[in-house]
Amino acid sequence: AGGDEISKRLSIISAAARPAGEFFQLTVNALAGRKRMRLEYYKRGDDSFSKRVVSPQRMIHYRDNWYLDGWCHTRQALRTFALDSVTKARIIEENADEIDEQQLNDYFGSSYGIFSGKADKTATLVFSEKIAPWVSREQWHPDQQGQFLEDGNFEMKIPFGNPTELIMDILRYGPDVMVKSPHSLRESVQQRLQQALQQY
């Protein structure tokens, strides 16, 4: 009875979740069997399709969506694939290449969010005094650094590579955050804000 009572009083709400797609189980099988996969992949950014041969390394459930980290034989590089963007897939009878776990962690773990690539830049963000108390308790990245400034604002330094997801998170805070550096990130956020304003 205790479990039933608790289950009635717990609610898990998924925000912006996308279906894992029809190739979720196939991907699990390839991962477990250590086999390569041949994929057709839809790239949202430029509205195009590409064909890839991938050695799957691990699956990630991130922000309510499923991703595959793998060695892409087509690009000869590590890549992350959103499972819902896989339009065709099959397992092929070639053993998957094994990538050292430390190499995977260095590549996928050092950057910001799910977008792959080694972190090679550091963002410096300044949050307003109004939201500083709770932003100071948020973890945006395992290697972030933060400090309260004399004016009550909160400064956060975050490693990143691909800025896409970082920009989305910055925009959530609207006028309560300012990108101090690098200049390229500051310009990108400014451009997105101007584009949004043009809609109104």
Side-chain angles (χ1 to χ4, degrees):
D4 290 342
E5 185 62 27
I6 289 173
S7 67
K8 286 193 306 189
R9 300 181 184 281
L10 291 177
S11 176
I12 298 173
I13 299 171
S14 295
R18 302 185 303 269
E22 62 182 294
F23 301 109
F24 179 87
Q25 187 60 54
L26 188 79
T27 305
V28 170
N29 293 345
L31 194 62
R34 305 310 303 126
K35 293 295 184 183
R36 297 184 189 186
M37 299 179 72
R38 193 176 299 278
L39 309 177
E40 185 172 285
Y41 190 74
Y42 174 65
K43 294 170 64 180
R44 291 184 186 88
D46 55 11
D47 191 30
S48 66
F49 291 87
S50 65
K51 294 181 179 178
R52 310 290 184 94
V53 174
V54 177
S55 283
Q57 301 300 314
R58 58 191 179 189
M59 289 172 66
I60 308 291
H61 189 248
Y62 177 74
R63 295 193 178 188
D64 290 326
N65 296 293
W66 281 100
Y67 298 87
L68 172 68
D69 287 347
W71 176 261
C72 178
H73 296 274
T74 310
R75 299 287 186 260
Q76 287 295 297
L78 289 166
R79 291 288 187 268
T80 296
F81 301 93
L83 283 191
D84 66 295
S85 290
V86 175
T87 57
K88 293 180 183 175
R90 65 184 177 91
I91 297 173
I92 57 178
E93 286 304 313
E94 288 184 68
N95 291 333
D97 286 5
E98 296 293 342
I99 306 298
D100 178 71
E101 188 174 356
Q102 187 60 52
Q103 185 180 346
L104 291 173
N105 291 338
D106 287 347
Y107 185 80
F108 292 114
S110 69
S111 196
Y112 186 86
I114 200 66
F115 292 96
S116 57
K118 201 169 179 66
D120 57 0
K121 296 175 279 296
T122 299
T124 302
L125 311 178
V126 177
F127 295 88
S128 71
E129 182 180 8
K130 182 176 74 176
I131 64 167
W134 66 79
V135 171
S136 68
R137 295 192 294 270
E138 292 181 352
Q139 182 172 359
W140 288 39
H141 189 279
D143 297 326
Q144 72 188 38
Q145 297 176 355
Q147 64 174 347
F148 280 94
L149 304 177
E150 289 183 4
D151 58 8
N153 292 342
F154 185 76
E155 181 183 83
M156 189 187 292
K157 293 181 183 290
I158 304 167
F160 74 100
N162 183 324
T164 306
E165 193 169 348
L166 180 57
I167 290 169
M168 290 189 294
D169 284 341
I170 290 168
L171 291 173
R172 287 189 302 132
Y173 284 94
D176 287 311
V177 63
M178 186 266 295
V179 179
K180 194 171 178 182
S181 67
H183 185 69
S184 58
L185 180 63
R186 186 182 173 97
E187 279 190 330
S188 295
V189 171
Q190 185 180 40
Q191 184 179 34
R192 290 303 298 270
L193 288 169
Q194 287 172 339
Q195 288 170 346
L197 191 59
Q198 286 171 8
Q199 301 288 348
Y200 297 93

